[in-house]
Coordinates of all heavy atoms in Angstrom, one line a residue:
M962 N 126.0 104.7 125.3 CA 124.9 103.7 125.0 C 125.2 103.1 123.6 O 125.5 103.9 122.6 CB 123.6 104.4 125.0 CG 122.4 103.5 125.1 SD 120.9 104.4 125.4 CE 120.2 103.5 126.7
S963 N 125.2 101.8 123.4 CA 125.5 101.2 122.2 C 124.3 101.2 121.2 O 123.2 101.5 121.7 CB 126.0 99.7 122.4 OG 124.8 98.9 122.7
N964 N 124.6 101.0 120.0 CA 123.5 101.0 119.0 C 122.5 99.9 119.3 O 121.3 100.2 119.2 CB 124.1 100.7 117.6 CG 123.2 101.2 116.5 OD1 122.5 102.2 116.6 ND2 123.2 100.4 115.4
N965 N 122.9 98.8 119.8 CA 122.0 97.7 120.2 C 121.1 98.1 121.4 O 119.9 97.8 121.4 CB 122.7 96.4 120.5 CG 123.2 95.7 119.3 OD1 122.7 95.9 118.2 ND2 124.2 94.9 119.5
D966 N 121.7 98.9 122.3 CA 120.9 99.4 123.5 C 119.8 100.4 123.0 O 118.7 100.4 123.5 CB 121.8 100.1 124.5 CG 122.7 99.1 125.2 OD1 122.4 97.9 125.3 OD2 123.8 99.6 125.7
I967 N 120.2 101.2 122.0 CA 119.3 102.2 121.5 C 118.1 101.5 120.8 O 116.9 101.8 121.0 CB 120.0 103.2 120.6 CG1 120.9 104.1 121.4 CG2 119.0 104.0 119.8 CD1 121.8 104.9 120.6
I968 N 118.5 100.5 120.0 CA 117.4 99.7 119.3 C 116.5 99.0 120.3 O 115.3 99.1 120.1 CB 118.1 98.7 118.3 CG1 118.8 99.4 117.2 CG2 117.1 97.6 117.8 CD1 119.7 98.5 116.3
Q969 N 117.0 98.4 121.3 CA 116.2 97.7 122.3 C 115.3 98.7 123.0 O 114.2 98.5 123.3 CB 117.1 97.0 123.3 CG 116.3 96.1 124.2 CD 115.5 95.1 123.5 OE1 115.9 94.4 122.6 NE2 114.2 95.0 123.9
F970 N 115.9 99.9 123.3 CA 115.1 101.0 124.0 C 113.9 101.4 123.1 O 112.8 101.5 123.6 CB 116.0 102.2 124.4 CG 115.2 103.3 125.0 CD1 114.8 103.2 126.3 CD2 114.9 104.4 124.2 CE1 114.1 104.3 126.9 CE2 114.2 105.5 124.8 CZ 113.8 105.4 126.1
L971 N 114.2 101.6 121.8 CA 113.1 102.0 120.9 C 112.1 101.0 120.8 O 110.9 101.3 120.7 CB 113.7 102.4 119.6 CG 114.6 103.6 119.5 CD1 115.3 103.7 118.2 CD2 113.8 104.9 119.8
R972 N 112.5 99.7 120.7 CA 111.5 98.6 120.6 C 110.7 98.5 121.9 O 109.5 98.3 121.9 CB 112.3 97.3 120.4 CG 113.1 97.2 119.1 CD 112.3 97.3 117.9 NE 111.2 96.4 117.7 CZ 111.3 95.2 117.1 NH1 112.4 94.8 116.6 NH2 110.2 94.4 117.0
N973 N 111.3 98.8 123.1 CA 110.6 98.8 124.3 C 109.5 99.9 124.4 O 108.5 99.8 125.1 CB 111.5 98.9 125.5 CG 112.3 97.6 125.8 OD1 111.9 96.5 125.3 ND2 113.4 97.7 126.5
L974 N 109.8 101.0 123.7 CA 108.9 102.1 123.6 C 107.7 101.8 122.7 O 106.8 102.6 122.5 CB 109.6 103.4 123.2 CG 110.5 104.0 124.1 CD1 111.2 105.3 123.5 CD2 109.8 104.4 125.4
G975 N 107.8 100.7 122.0 CA 106.6 100.3 121.1 C 106.9 100.4 119.6 O 105.9 100.3 118.9
L976 N 108.1 100.8 119.2 CA 108.3 100.9 117.8 C 108.6 99.5 117.2 O 109.2 98.6 117.8 CB 109.6 101.7 117.5 CG 109.5 103.2 117.8 CD1 110.8 103.9 117.4 CD2 108.3 103.9 117.2
S977 N 108.0 99.3 116.0 CA 108.3 98.1 115.2 C 109.7 98.1 114.7 O 110.4 99.1 114.8 CB 107.3 98.0 114.1 OG 107.5 99.0 113.1
K978 N 110.1 97.0 114.1 CA 111.4 97.0 113.5 C 111.6 98.0 112.4 O 112.6 98.7 112.3 CB 111.7 95.6 112.9 CG 113.1 95.5 112.3 CD 113.4 94.2 111.7 CE 114.8 94.1 111.1 NZ 115.4 95.3 110.6
R979 N 110.6 98.1 111.5 CA 110.6 99.1 110.5 C 110.7 100.6 111.0 O 111.4 101.4 110.5 CB 109.4 99.0 109.5 CG 109.5 97.8 108.6 CD 110.4 98.1 107.5 NE 110.3 97.0 106.5 CZ 111.1 96.8 105.6 NH1 112.2 97.6 105.4 NH2 111.0 95.8 104.7
E980 N 109.8 100.8 112.0 CA 109.8 102.1 112.6 C 111.2 102.5 113.3 O 111.7 103.6 113.2 CB 108.7 102.2 113.7 CG 107.3 102.2 113.1 CD 106.2 102.1 114.1 OE1 106.5 101.5 115.2 OE2 105.1 102.4 113.8
T981 N 111.8 101.5 113.9 CA 113.1 101.6 114.5 C 114.1 102.0 113.4 O 115.0 102.9 113.6 CB 113.5 100.4 115.3 OG1 112.5 100.1 116.3 CG2 114.9 100.5 115.9
D982 N 114.1 101.2 112.3 CA 115.0 101.5 111.2 C 114.8 102.9 110.7 O 115.8 103.6 110.4 CB 114.7 100.5 110.0 CG 115.1 99.1 110.4 OD1 115.9 98.9 111.4 OD2 114.6 98.2 109.7
V983 N 113.6 103.4 110.5 CA 113.3 104.7 110.1 C 113.9 105.8 111.0 O 114.5 106.7 110.7 CB 111.8 105.0 109.8 CG1 111.5 106.4 109.6 CG2 111.3 104.1 108.6
Y984 N 113.6 105.5 112.3 CA 114.1 106.5 113.4 C 115.6 106.6 113.3 O 116.2 107.7 113.3 CB 113.6 106.1 114.8 CG 114.1 107.0 115.8 CD1 113.5 108.2 116.1 CD2 115.3 106.8 116.5 CE1 114.0 109.1 117.0 CE2 115.8 107.7 117.4 CZ 115.2 108.8 117.7 OH 115.7 109.7 118.5
L985 N 116.3 105.4 113.3 CA 117.7 105.4 113.3 C 118.3 106.1 112.0 O 119.2 106.9 112.1 CB 118.3 104.0 113.4 CG 118.0 103.3 114.7 CD1 118.5 101.9 114.7 CD2 118.7 104.1 115.8
Y986 N 117.6 105.9 110.9 CA 118.1 106.5 109.6 C 117.9 108.0 109.7 O 118.9 108.7 109.4 CB 117.3 105.9 108.4 CG 117.8 106.5 107.1 CD1 118.9 106.0 106.5 CD2 117.2 107.6 106.6 CE1 119.4 106.5 105.3 CE2 117.7 108.2 105.4 CZ 118.8 107.6 104.8 OH 119.3 108.2 103.6
L987 N 116.8 108.5 110.1 CA 116.6 109.9 110.2 C 117.5 110.6 111.3 O 118.0 111.7 111.1 CB 115.1 110.2 110.6 CG 114.1 110.0 109.5 CD1 112.7 110.2 110.0 CD2 114.3 111.0 108.3
S988 N 117.7 109.9 112.4 CA 118.6 110.5 113.4 C 120.0 110.6 112.9 O 120.8 111.5 113.3 CB 118.6 109.7 114.7 OG 119.1 108.4 114.5
K989 N 120.5 109.7 112.0 CA 121.8 109.8 111.4 C 121.9 110.7 110.2 O 122.9 111.4 110.0 CB 122.3 108.4 111.0 CG 122.5 107.5 112.2 CD 122.9 106.1 111.8 CE 123.1 105.2 113.0 NZ 123.3 103.8 112.7
S990 N 120.9 110.7 109.4 CA 121.0 111.5 108.1 C 120.4 112.9 108.2 O 120.7 113.7 107.4 CB 120.3 110.7 107.0 OG 118.9 110.7 107.3
G991 N 119.6 113.2 109.2 CA 119.0 114.5 109.3 C 117.6 114.5 108.6 O 116.9 113.6 108.6
V992 N 117.3 115.7 108.0 CA 116.0 115.9 107.4 C 115.9 115.2 106.1 O 116.8 115.3 105.2 CB 115.7 117.4 107.2 CG1 114.4 117.6 106.6 CG2 115.9 118.1 108.6
S993 N 114.8 114.4 105.9 CA 114.6 113.6 104.6 C 113.2 113.5 104.3 O 112.3 113.6 105.2 CB 115.2 112.2 104.7 OG 116.6 112.3 104.9
S994 N 112.9 113.3 103.0 CA 111.5 113.1 102.6 C 111.1 111.6 102.8 O 112.0 110.7 102.9 CB 111.3 113.5 101.2 OG 112.0 112.6 100.3
T995 N 109.9 111.3 102.8 CA 109.4 109.9 103.0 C 109.9 109.1 101.8 O 110.4 108.0 102.1 CB 107.9 109.9 103.1 OG1 107.4 110.8 104.1 CG2 107.4 108.5 103.4
S996 N 109.7 109.6 100.6 CA 110.1 108.7 99.5 C 111.6 108.5 99.4 O 112.1 107.4 99.1 CB 109.7 109.4 98.2 OG 110.1 110.7 98.1
F997 N 112.4 109.4 99.9 CA 113.9 109.2 99.9 C 114.2 108.1 100.9 O 115.0 107.2 100.6 CB 114.6 110.5 100.3 CG 116.1 110.4 100.2 CD1 116.8 110.5 99.1 CD2 116.8 110.3 101.4 CE1 118.2 110.4 99.0 CE2 118.2 110.2 101.4 CZ 118.9 110.2 100.2
V998 N 113.7 108.2 102.1 CA 113.9 107.2 103.1 C 113.4 105.8 102.7 O 114.1 104.8 102.9 CB 113.3 107.6 104.5 CG1 113.4 106.5 105.5 CG2 113.9 108.9 105.0
A999 N 112.2 105.8 102.1 CA 111.7 104.5 101.6 C 112.6 103.9 100.6 O 112.9 102.7 100.6 CB 110.3 104.8 100.9
T1000 N 113.2 104.7 99.7 CA 114.1 104.1 98.7 C 115.4 103.6 99.4 O 115.8 102.5 99.1 CB 114.5 105.2 97.7 OG1 113.3 105.7 97.1 CG2 115.5 104.7 96.7
R1001 N 115.9 104.4 100.3 CA 117.2 104.0 101.0 C 117.0 102.7 101.8 O 117.9 101.9 101.9 CB 117.7 105.1 101.9 CG 118.1 106.3 101.2 CD 119.4 106.0 100.5 NE 119.9 107.2 99.8 CZ 120.9 107.2 99.0 NH1 121.5 106.1 98.7 NH2 121.2 108.4 98.4
L1002 N 115.8 102.6 102.5 CA 115.6 101.5 103.4 C 114.8 100.3 102.7 O 114.5 99.3 103.3 CB 114.8 101.9 104.6 CG 115.5 102.9 105.5 CD1 114.6 103.3 106.7 CD2 116.8 102.3 106.0
K1003 N 114.6 100.5 101.4 CA 113.9 99.5 100.6 C 112.5 99.1 101.1 O 112.2 98.0 101.4 CB 114.8 98.3 100.4 CG 116.0 98.6 99.6 CD 116.9 97.3 99.5 CE 118.1 97.6 98.6 NZ 119.2 98.2 99.0
I1004 N 111.7 100.2 101.4 CA 110.4 100.0 101.9 C 109.4 100.6 100.8 O 109.8 101.6 100.2 CB 110.1 100.9 103.2 CG1 111.1 100.5 104.3 CG2 108.7 100.7 103.7 CD1 111.1 101.4 105.5
E1005 N 108.3 99.9 100.6 CA 107.3 100.4 99.7 C 106.9 101.8 100.1 O 106.7 102.0 101.3 CB 106.1 99.5 99.6 CG 106.5 98.2 98.9 CD 105.2 97.3 98.8 OE1 104.1 97.8 98.8 OE2 105.4 96.1 98.8
R1006 N 106.7 102.7 99.2 CA 106.3 104.1 99.5 C 105.0 104.2 100.4 O 104.9 104.9 101.3 CB 106.2 105.0 98.3 CG 107.5 105.4 97.8 CD 107.4 106.4 96.7 NE 106.2 107.2 96.7 CZ 105.9 108.1 95.8 NH1 106.8 108.4 94.9 NH2 104.8 108.8 95.9
V1007 N 104.0 103.4 100.0 CA 102.7 103.4 100.7 C 103.0 103.0 102.2 O 102.5 103.6 103.1 CB 101.7 102.5 100.1 CG1 100.5 102.4 100.9 CG2 101.4 103.0 98.7
Q1008 N 103.8 101.9 102.4 CA 104.1 101.5 103.7 C 104.9 102.6 104.5 O 104.6 102.8 105.7 CB 104.9 100.2 103.7 CG 105.2 99.6 105.0 CD 106.0 98.3 105.0 OE1 106.7 98.0 104.0 NE2 106.0 97.6 106.1
A1009 N 105.8 103.2 103.8 CA 106.6 104.2 104.4 C 105.7 105.4 104.9 O 105.9 105.9 106.0 CB 107.7 104.7 103.4
Y1010 N 104.8 105.8 104.1 CA 103.9 106.9 104.5 C 103.1 106.5 105.7 O 102.9 107.3 106.6 CB 102.9 107.3 103.4 CG 103.6 108.2 102.3 CD1 104.0 107.6 101.1 CD2 103.8 109.5 102.6 CE1 104.6 108.4 100.2 CE2 104.4 110.3 101.6 CZ 104.8 109.8 100.4 OH 105.5 110.6 99.5
R1011 N 102.6 105.3 105.8 CA 101.9 104.8 107.0 C 102.9 104.8 108.3 O 102.5 105.3 109.3 CB 101.4 103.4 106.8 CG 100.2 103.4 106.0 CD 99.5 102.0 106.0 NE 99.0 101.7 104.7 CZ 99.3 100.7 103.9 NH1 100.1 99.7 104.3 NH2 98.8 100.6 102.7
I1012 N 104.1 104.4 108.1 CA 105.1 104.3 109.1 C 105.4 105.7 109.6 O 105.4 106.0 110.8 CB 106.4 103.6 108.7 CG1 106.1 102.1 108.5 CG2 107.5 103.9 109.7 CD1 107.3 101.4 107.8
F1013 N 105.6 106.7 108.7 CA 105.9 108.0 109.1 C 104.7 108.7 109.8 O 104.9 109.4 110.8 CB 106.2 108.9 107.9 CG 107.7 108.8 107.5 CD1 108.2 107.6 107.1 CD2 108.5 109.9 107.5 CE1 109.6 107.4 106.7 CE2 109.9 109.8 107.2 CZ 110.4 108.6 106.8
K1014 N 103.5 108.4 109.4 CA 102.3 109.0 110.0 C 102.2 108.5 111.5 O 102.0 109.2 112.4 CB 101.1 108.6 109.3 CG 99.8 109.2 109.8 CD 98.6 108.9 109.0 CE 97.4 109.6 109.7 NZ 96.1 109.2 109.1
K1015 N 102.4 107.1 111.7 CA 102.3 106.6 113.0 C 103.4 107.1 113.9 O 103.2 107.5 115.1 CB 102.4 105.0 112.9 CG 101.1 104.4 112.6 CD 101.1 102.9 112.4 CE 101.7 101.9 113.1 NZ 101.5 100.5 112.7
M1016 N 104.6 107.2 113.4 CA 105.7 107.7 114.2 C 105.5 109.2 114.5 O 105.9 109.6 115.6 CB 107.0 107.5 113.4 CG 107.4 106.1 113.3 SD 109.0 105.9 112.5 CE 110.1 106.6 113.7
Q1017 N 104.9 110.0 113.6 CA 104.7 111.4 113.9 C 103.6 111.5 115.0 O 103.7 112.3 116.0 CB 104.2 112.1 112.7 CG 104.0 113.6 112.9 CD 103.6 114.3 111.6 OE1 103.3 113.7 110.6 NE2 103.6 115.6 111.7
E1018 N 102.6 110.6 115.0 CA 101.5 110.6 116.0 C 102.1 110.2 117.3 O 101.6 110.7 118.4 CB 100.4 109.7 115.6 CG 99.6 110.2 114.4 CD 98.6 109.1 113.9 OE1 98.6 108.0 114.3 OE2 97.9 109.5 112.9
K1019 N 103.0 109.3 117.3 CA 103.7 108.8 118.6 C 104.7 109.8 119.1 O 105.2 109.7 120.2 CB 104.3 107.5 118.4 CG 103.4 106.3 118.1 CD 104.2 105.1 117.9 CE 103.3 103.9 117.6 NZ 104.1 102.6 117.3
G1020 N 105.1 110.8 118.3 CA 106.1 111.8 118.8 C 107.5 111.5 118.6 O 108.4 112.1 119.2
F1021 N 107.8 110.5 117.7 CA 109.2 110.1 117.4 C 109.8 110.9 116.3 O 111.1 111.0 116.2 CB 109.3 108.6 117.1 CG 109.0 107.8 118.3 CD1 107.8 107.3 118.5 CD2 110.1 107.4 119.1 CE1 107.6 106.5 119.6 CE2 109.9 106.6 120.2 CZ 108.6 106.1 120.5
I1022 N 109.0 111.5 115.4 CA 109.6 112.3 114.3 C 108.7 113.6 114.2 O 107.6 113.6 114.7 CB 109.6 111.6 113.0 CG1 108.2 111.1 112.5 CG2 110.6 110.4 113.0 CD1 108.2 110.5 111.2
T1023 N 109.3 114.6 113.6 CA 108.6 115.9 113.4 C 108.7 116.2 111.9 O 109.6 115.7 111.2 CB 109.2 117.0 114.2 OG1 110.5 117.2 113.9 CG2 109.0 116.7 115.7
T1024 N 107.8 117.1 111.4 CA 107.8 117.5 110.1 C 108.3 118.9 109.9 O 108.3 119.7 110.8 CB 106.4 117.5 109.4 OG1 105.6 118.4 110.2 CG2 105.8 116.1 109.5
T1025 N 108.8 119.2 108.7 CA 109.1 120.6 108.3 C 107.9 121.2 107.6 O 107.0 120.5 107.3 CB 110.3 120.6 107.3 OG1 109.9 120.0 106.1 CG2 111.5 120.0 107.9
L1026 N 107.9 122.5 107.5 CA 106.8 123.2 106.8 C 106.9 123.3 105.3 O 106.1 123.8 104.7 CB 106.6 124.6 107.5 CG 106.3 124.6 108.9 CD1 106.2 126.0 109.5 CD2 105.0 123.8 109.2
E1027 N 108.0 122.8 104.8 CA 108.2 122.9 103.4 C 107.5 121.9 102.6 O 107.1 120.9 103.1 CB 109.7 122.9 103.1 CG 110.4 121.6 103.6 CD 111.9 121.8 103.7 OE1 112.4 122.4 104.6 OE2 112.6 121.2 102.8
R1028 N 107.5 122.0 101.3 CA 106.9 121.0 100.4 C 108.0 120.6 99.4 O 108.7 121.4 98.9 CB 105.7 121.6 99.6 CG 104.6 122.0 100.4 CD 103.8 120.7 100.7 NE 102.6 121.0 101.6 CZ 102.2 120.3 102.6 NH1 102.8 119.2 102.9 NH2 101.2 120.7 103.2
P1029 N 108.2 119.3 99.2 CA 107.4 118.2 99.8 C 107.8 118.1 101.3 O 108.8 118.6 101.7 CB 107.9 117.0 99.1 CG 109.3 117.3 98.6 CD 109.2 118.8 98.3
T1030 N 106.9 117.6 102.1 CA 107.1 117.5 103.5 C 108.3 116.6 103.8 O 108.5 115.6 103.2 CB 105.8 116.8 104.2 OG1 104.7 117.6 103.9 CG2 106.0 116.8 105.7
R1031 N 109.1 117.1 104.7 CA 110.3 116.4 105.1 C 110.3 116.1 106.6 O 109.6 116.9 107.3 CB 111.6 117.1 104.7 CG 111.7 117.2 103.2 CD 112.7 118.1 102.6 NE 113.8 118.4 103.5 CZ 115.0 118.6 103.1 NH1 115.4 118.5 101.9 NH2 115.9 119.0 104.0
F1032 N 110.9 115.1 107.0 CA 110.9 114.7 108.4 C 112.2 114.7 109.1 O 113.2 114.5 108.4 CB 110.2 113.3 108.5 CG 108.8 113.2 108.0 CD1 108.6 113.1 106.7 CD2 107.8 113.3 108.9 CE1 107.3 113.0 106.2 CE2 106.5 113.2 108.4 CZ 106.2 113.1 107.1
T1033 N 112.2 114.8 110.4 CA 113.4 114.6 111.2 C 113.1 113.9 112.4 O 112.0 114.0 112.9 CB 114.1 116.0 111.5 OG1 115.3 115.8 112.1 CG2 113.2 116.9 112.4
A1034 N 114.1 113.2 113.0 CA 113.9 112.4 114.2 C 114.0 113.3 115.4 O 114.8 114.3 115.4 CB 114.9 111.3 114.3
V1035 N 113.1 113.1 116.4 CA 113.2 113.8 117.7 C 114.5 113.3 118.3 O 114.8 112.1 118.3 CB 112.0 113.5 118.5 CG1 112.1 114.0 119.9 CG2 110.7 114.0 117.9
P1036 N 115.3 114.2 118.8 CA 116.6 113.8 119.4 C 116.4 112.7 120.5 O 115.4 112.7 121.3 CB 117.1 115.1 120.1 CG 116.5 116.2 119.3 CD 115.1 115.7 118.9
F1037 N 117.3 111.7 120.5 CA 117.2 110.6 121.4 C 117.1 111.0 122.8 O 116.4 110.4 123.6 CB 118.3 109.6 121.1 CG 118.3 108.4 122.0 CD1 117.4 107.4 121.6 CD2 119.1 108.2 123.1 CE1 117.3 106.2 122.4 CE2 119.0 107.1 123.9 CZ 118.1 106.1 123.5
E1038 N 117.8 112.0 123.2 CA 117.9 112.5 124.6 C 116.5 113.0 125.0 O 116.1 112.7 126.2 CB 118.9 113.7 124.7 CG 120.3 113.3 124.5 CD 120.7 113.2 123.0 OE1 120.0 113.7 122.1 OE2 121.7 112.5 122.8
E1039 N 115.7 113.6 124.1 CA 114.3 114.0 124.4 C 113.4 112.8 124.6 O 112.6 112.8 125.5 CB 113.8 114.9 123.3 CG 114.3 116.3 123.3 CD 113.7 117.1 122.2 OE1 112.5 116.9 121.9 OE2 114.4 118.0 121.7
L1040 N 113.6 111.7 123.8 CA 112.8 110.5 124.0 C 113.2 109.9 125.4 O 112.3 109.4 126.1 CB 113.1 109.5 122.9 CG 112.7 109.8 121.5 CD1 113.1 108.7 120.5 CD2 111.2 110.1 121.4
L1041 N 114.4 109.8 125.7 CA 114.9 109.2 127.0 C 114.3 110.0 128.1 O 113.8 109.5 129.1 CB 116.4 109.2 127.0 CG 117.0 108.4 128.1 CD1 116.6 107.0 128.2 CD2 118.6 108.5 128.0
E1042 N 114.4 111.4 128.1 CA 113.9 112.2 129.1 C 112.4 112.0 129.3 O 111.9 111.9 130.4 CB 114.2 113.7 128.8 CG 113.9 114.6 130.0 CD 114.3 116.0 129.7 OE1 115.5 116.2 129.2 OE2 113.5 116.9 129.9
S1043 N 111.7 112.0 128.2 CA 110.2 111.8 128.2 C 109.9 110.5 128.8 O 108.9 110.3 129.6 CB 109.7 111.9 126.8 OG 108.3 111.6 126.8
Y1044 N 110.6 109.4 128.5 CA 110.4 108.1 129.1 C 110.6 108.1 130.6 O 109.9 107.5 131.3 CB 111.3 107.1 128.4 CG 111.2 105.7 128.9 CD1 110.1 104.9 128.5 CD2 112.2 105.1 129.7 CE1 110.0 103.6 129.0 CE2 112.1 103.8 130.2 CZ 111.0 103.1 129.9 OH 110.8 101.8 130.3
I1045 N 111.7 108.8 131.0 CA 112.0 108.8 132.4 C 110.9 109.5 133.2 O 110.5 109.1 134.3 CB 113.4 109.5 132.7 CG1 114.5 108.5 132.2 CG2 113.6 109.8 134.2 CD1 115.8 109.2 132.1
N1046 N 110.4 110.6 132.6 CA 109.3 111.4 133.3 C 108.0 110.7 133.2 O 107.2 110.7 134.0 CB 109.2 112.8 132.7 CG 110.4 113.6 133.0 OD1 111.1 113.4 134.0 ND2 110.7 114.6 132.1

């Protein structure tokens, strides 16, 4: 599956462009904090916190139990399997 196919699939699942960017960044980089991702993607921190909260509620990302809270993307295969079911 190409990167464009993945982006289109994520958009079809209801993610905004920013949410898609965050998901792709987390899936490539691994575990990161909200402020680190916001800096890398040039998103305001307040906006990034809202994006992360929505994505977590939708089940696209998960949190770690450490402080500061860090996030990781749910594996794409799990999203695809969930969509199929």
Side-chain angles (χ1 to χ4, degrees):
M962 200 172 224
S963 74
N964 200 35
N965 287 337
D966 291 336
I967 293 171
I968 290 169
Q969 188 59 47
F970 177 74
L971 293 171
R972 298 300 301 270
N973 288 341
L974 289 179
L976 291 185
S977 69
K978 181 183 180 332
R979 288 283 190 193
E980 291 170 337
T981 301
D982 292 342
V983 168
Y984 179 84
L985 292 174
Y986 183 84
L987 286 174
S988 66
K989 291 177 184 173
S990 68
V992 179
S993 295
S994 68
T995 306
S996 53
F997 184 79
V998 175
T1000 301
R1001 293 289 183 192
L1002 297 179
K1003 297 179 172 80
I1004 303 172
E1005 292 181 25
R1006 278 184 32 177
V1007 173
Q1008 183 183 17
Y1010 281 102
R1011 283 188 216 126
I1012 289 169
F1013 275 64
K1014 182 178 179 186
K1015 280 175 44 178
M1016 290 183 69
Q1017 186 179 9
E1018 289 170 356
K1019 292 178 182 179
F1021 288 94
I1022 60 175
T1023 58
T1024 61
T1025 62
L1026 297 176
E1027 57 196 78
R1028 293 282 181 219
T1030 303
R1031 294 170 19 145
F1032 297 84
T1033 188
V1035 171
F1037 183 75
E1038 294 79 18
E1039 287 183 30
L1040 294 179
L1041 188 58
E1042 186 176 314
S1043 176
Y1044 178 75
I1045 292 170
N1046 292 334

